[in-house]
Amino acid sequence: MQPETPLSTAPSPAEIADVADSNPFVDAERTERPDVAAAVPLPRRKPTASARAEPTVRTVKVVTIEAPPPSRPHDGAYALGSPADAPAAPAEWMETKAAVDMHAKAEQSSETVKVADKGVKLRVTARDKNWVRVNDPASAATGWIYNRFLQPAEPPAQ
């Protein structure tokens, strides 16, 4: 009589896939709650990139482009024409109707820079609603005056 030799075979690829995709926690849930297991499919892993895939090499050529020299000096803004070509805007002058405070800001509550006497001619440098920013050429003081205390005037004689 011949002795019997047990023969063991390797598991099939389908059995290996089932074991690799199995999760003991999910398996426990399936046995306890079969309704949830049927409704929620197991997530599948995305295939990884091949280890043998070689990276793509791209060559970039760097070219230096020099900016053209400026045709004329400018202040950084877009020039609409040569300053020599454009006529200068005439300066606007105002005269005080009465003695009035010149303020640091276009607000009545701001500090007083100077008190301008009646009849002083002042050069207008800016406007903000009803406030006028003026410059006193005699004292070089600059401040804001409410427009109701000013009236248009001719430039002072040089």
Side-chain angles (χ1 to χ4, degrees):
M1 192 172 190
Q2 290 188 344
E4 289 185 25
T5 307
L7 179 63
S8 63
T9 59
S12 70
E15 291 172 358
I16 293 173
D18 287 342
V19 171
D21 289 340
S22 69
N23 184 341
F25 298 108
V26 174
D27 293 340
E29 284 183 8
R30 285 183 186 162
T31 58
E32 293 172 9
R33 298 185 314 185
D35 58 330
V36 174
V40 180
L42 288 175
R44 295 285 180 192
R45 291 185 182 172
K46 293 182 180 179
T48 59
S50 172
R52 286 190 240 149
E54 295 188 24
T56 305
V57 177
R58 297 179 186 203
T59 305
V60 178
K61 184 177 181 181
V62 178
V63 179
T64 304
I65 301 173
E66 294 182 24
S71 59
R72 63 177 188 259
H74 59 85
D75 63 353
Y78 289 106
L80 297 176
S82 172
D85 297 342
E92 184 181 2
W93 291 85
M94 301 293 263
E95 183 178 347
T96 57
K97 294 181 182 179
V100 65
D101 292 341
M102 290 174 59
H103 295 275
K105 297 180 185 177
E107 301 170 353
Q108 185 178 2
S109 61
S110 70
E111 67 179 85
T112 300
V113 176
K114 176 186 174 181
V115 177
D117 295 328
K118 179 181 178 183
V120 174
K121 292 187 178 185
L122 305 166
R123 184 178 185 153
V124 175
T125 57
R127 292 182 179 269
D128 183 12
K129 297 180 184 173
N130 291 329
W131 289 87
V132 181
R133 185 174 182 204
V134 292
N135 183 333
D136 183 4
S139 66
T142 300
W144 292 89
I145 299 177
Y146 199 76
N147 70 353
R148 104 174 155 201
F149 298 109
L150 299 171
Q151 63 188 6
E154 293 296 320
Q158 302 277 337

